[in-house]
Amino acid sequence: MDYSIILISNKPHKFDNIAKTLSPEKVHFFNGTGYQTFSKLVNDAVRSSLTETVIIMSDKVLPTQEHIKKVLDLL
């Protein structure tokens, strides 16, 4: 299955630590600075994806590859 993993955040300094927990998965950062609503932020992040399947996460989580696998298995 082709999928994208997108971290949405207005705190770019958190990206590297979160991306490391998922290595070698490729995580894309979507900067949420200046968005007035969370809904618009999520919609724009999904719209920016090049794949139909999108896994979105916030900067408040530290997922592992097992978490990604579980999400994909549930789909």
Side-chain angles (χ1 to χ4, degrees):
M1 176 183 300
D2 196 22
Y3 60 93
S4 299
I5 303 171
I6 301 176
L7 170 67
I8 53 176
S9 176
N10 61 355
K11 300 172 185 163
H13 64 277
K14 291 190 169 190
F15 175 72
D16 287 337
N17 279 344
I18 294 170
K20 283 179 190 174
T21 68
L22 289 171
S23 183
E25 294 280 357
K26 182 170 172 109
V27 180
H28 304 277
F29 179 74
F30 194 88
N31 193 340
T33 302
Y35 275 85
Q36 292 182 345
T37 67
F38 184 71
S39 298
K40 175 132 177 67
L41 172 59
V42 171
N43 288 336
D44 286 352
V46 169
R47 197 173 296 119
S48 76
S49 175
L50 300 177
T51 62
E52 186 173 334
T53 303
V54 182
I55 299 172
I56 300 243
M57 68 183 84
S58 78
D59 60 19
K60 295 178 180 164
V61 297
L62 284 176
T64 64
Q65 287 183 334
E66 289 78 30
H67 293 116
I68 300 301
K69 183 182 180 323
K70 183 175 182 177
V71 168
L72 294 172
D73 287 346
L74 289 170
L75 292 174

